[in-house]
Amino acid sequence: MSGAAPITDKIASLRQRRRADGGWRVWWEPNASARKLGFQSVELNGDRPTWSAREAKRLNDDVDRKRRGDTAPARGSGGRTIDALIADYRHSVAFKELSDATRRSYAINLAVIETKWGPRNVVDFSKPILRTWYETVYSASGPAQALALIRMFSILMSHAEVRGWRAENTNPCFKLKMKAVRKRHRTASWAEFDALVQAAQSLGYHAVACGIVLATLQAQRQTDVINAKVAHFREVDVVGIDAPVMIWELIRSKRENYGVMPIHPEAQPYLRMQLPVEGEDRTYLLIDEATGQPYSGDLFRKRWAAIRALATKSAPGLASLQFRDLRRTFGVWSRAGGSTKEDVGDVLGNSAALDPQLGEIYMPPSFHTAARAVASIQRPTETKRKKA
């Protein structure tokens, strides 16, 4: 095994360091002035010294060009660079119709792509280039980040085809043989659920306690829990049920599909505590006790982190639980209670549903399937031994 670094040329900002396993980490590290211009460190590939050296030189050229204020694309590009493509995509109907949460997520990945590839021409990208970048990001940041960036790049390349910036069916991100990221399977136990609710109440965060209960027993996403409005909850008469039923009626944020479901009996006390008293004019269901204002995503996540940290003291396993796992918990508990996958899907909102009638009386095909899924969740009971 040779002790020599893979790249022998002296290239400004190129760094090489031997790893513990004998391999080499190669990366481009911008100096302070380049960082002020928006440049960040870029991982290269020690197994491909020629390509890495070329990339480092290109990055240095990009820094020099930005210092000069020269943003002109390379000859023959017609202005169709990745920078221009991202700007066009951000102004497209496809991007504007995304949910706020999805746009924020995309913006993070777009910024990484822009920093890495901004001045490059859209037509210059090929499958080998994208596969090499995938492997580089995979080694530096893991499979999830690599997969997310390539998927974002694929969306950009598809947008380029629509705009006529690339020939049709030339998306270089297709069939790159990327490694699938293992999906999360974490769910909460009843003891963990109770620990979270008790911790929220002991901290005085009763609204978040209600949010935890709604996310778990009604299976809705964090965004929909935070944005739940008082008007979404009411008692209605339902065909086939004698007494009025407390329901949650909403348009789900991710798929923008309609949903209506009964409130689980165990969730009703928490919900009623958050409903406004007579004469109180309020739009949103959940109001932060400390600020007196509706929750933002950041504030809700801050409260959740504090609640989980406290609950972990009595249930250490909660350190690995994320808020989104509560929605998955509903599916597991409901199926364990005897509900069908189709019934669970009507609550989750990710299955095809009939168009429901918006009114005081709901038709059985959609409402009763959701009702079966919600009602199937029951706390486990201890089996009493027979006395001799």
Side-chain angles (χ1 to χ4, degrees):
M1 179 173 59
S2 173
I7 300 174
T8 57
D9 296 345
K10 292 184 178 180
I11 303 174
S13 299
L14 180 70
R15 302 287 185 268
Q16 303 178 87
R17 180 177 298 164
R18 197 178 192 89
R19 300 182 189 273
D21 61 3
W24 285 86
R25 181 195 174 202
V26 180
W27 76 102
W28 181 81
E29 185 67 38
N31 57 26
S33 61
R35 285 187 177 277
K36 289 181 179 179
L37 294 173
F39 290 89
Q40 299 177 355
S41 60
V42 176
E43 293 291 329
L44 302 174
N45 193 335
D47 295 328
R48 301 188 64 205
T50 302
W51 177 85
S52 296
R54 186 169 62 248
E55 282 296 291
K57 292 176 182 177
R58 181 191 66 79
L59 288 163
N60 288 332
D61 290 341
D62 290 346
V63 173
D64 292 339
R65 182 166 54 250
K66 198 160 187 177
R67 282 173 177 160
R68 295 193 304 267
D70 179 13
T71 58
R75 187 189 309 175
S77 70
R80 295 177 176 179
T81 63
I82 294 298
D83 279 334
L85 179 63
I86 290 175
D88 187 87
Y89 176 65
R90 287 179 181 275
H91 287 87
S92 70
V93 172
F95 184 78
K96 290 179 179 178
E97 287 186 342
L98 297 172
S99 68
D100 291 341
T102 301
R103 284 200 299 270
R104 287 194 295 270
S105 175
Y106 278 19
I108 294 171
N109 291 330
L110 288 171
V112 175
I113 293 172
E114 197 168 21
T115 300
K116 171 65 177 175
W117 301 110
R120 290 295 189 90
N121 298 332
V122 170
V123 295
D124 289 344
F125 289 89
S126 63
K127 186 174 292 187
I129 291 175
L130 270 300
R131 175 65 194 189
T132 299
W133 189 43
Y134 166 78
E135 293 176 355
T136 301
V137 177
Y138 186 103
S139 299
S141 304
Q145 175 70 351
L147 189 63
L149 288 175
I150 294 299
R151 284 177 172 172
M152 187 73 255
F153 209 99
S154 180
I155 292 172
L156 286 174
M157 292 294 101
S158 293
H159 184 71
E161 290 185 20
V162 171
R163 290 291 192 248
W165 292 19
R166 284 184 69 97
E168 194 169 351
N169 298 322
T170 61
N171 191 327
C173 301
F174 286 175
K175 297 181 180 179
L176 286 184
K177 297 182 178 180
M178 298 182 290
K179 183 178 179 180
V181 179
R182 186 174 180 273
K183 294 183 179 180
R184 285 182 64 82
H185 297 283
R186 179 72 162 89
T187 59
S189 67
W190 280 100
E192 289 175 328
F193 170 74
D194 290 339
L196 286 169
V197 174
Q198 290 167 10
Q201 292 177 321
S202 67
L203 289 171
Y205 300 146
H206 299 284
V208 182
C210 179
I212 291 170
V213 172
L214 291 178
T216 309
L217 300 182
Q218 308 298 148
Q220 299 310 303
R221 292 181 176 86
Q222 183 182 103
T223 299
D224 293 321
V225 170
I226 294 173
N227 294 328
K229 296 181 179 180
V230 172
H232 294 166
F233 301 88
R234 54 201 174 99
E235 289 187 340
V236 299
D237 295 323
V238 179
V239 174
I241 300 178
D242 295 335
V245 176
M246 174 66 77
I247 61 123
W248 184 2
E249 183 180 30
L250 75 160
I251 301 297
R252 298 180 180 91
S253 59
K254 184 172 183 178
R255 295 176 181 264
E256 296 186 349
N257 57 349
Y258 174 86
V260 58
M261 70 205 75
I263 301 299
H264 190 280
E266 192 164 325
Q268 291 189 27
Y270 298 94
L271 172 61
R272 293 185 187 280
M273 281 183 61
Q274 299 306 312
L275 292 173
V277 298
E278 187 176 353
E280 182 183 2
D281 186 15
R282 176 151 55 86
T283 300
Y284 289 96
L285 176 72
L286 303 183
I287 303 296
D288 181 58
E289 287 82 2
T291 65
Q293 298 296 319
Y295 282 97
S296 64
D298 289 339
L299 180 58
F300 192 89
R301 286 185 284 273
K302 180 180 178 180
R303 299 287 189 251
W304 160 258
I307 291 166
R308 186 179 60 178
L310 178 59
T312 300
K313 295 180 179 180
S314 60
L318 279 172
S320 65
L321 188 81
Q322 299 178 12
F323 193 89
R324 59 176 174 159
D325 297 329
L326 300 178
R327 175 174 159 87
R328 190 181 303 110
T329 297
F330 171 89
V332 172
W333 287 359
S334 185
R335 291 284 287 143
S339 181
T340 68
K341 290 182 179 179
E342 290 75 15
D343 289 354
V344 172
D346 279 340
V347 180
L348 295 175
N350 54 11
S351 63
L354 299 175
D355 292 334
Q357 295 183 3
L358 306 180
E360 293 299 313
I361 300 177
Y362 296 92
M363 299 302 291
S366 60
F367 184 83
H368 284 285
T369 53
R372 287 198 299 266
V374 172
S376 68
I377 295 181
Q378 301 289 334
R379 282 185 177 270
T381 56
E382 295 183 3
T383 303
K384 296 182 179 180
R385 295 181 179 180
K386 295 182 179 180
K387 295 182 179 180

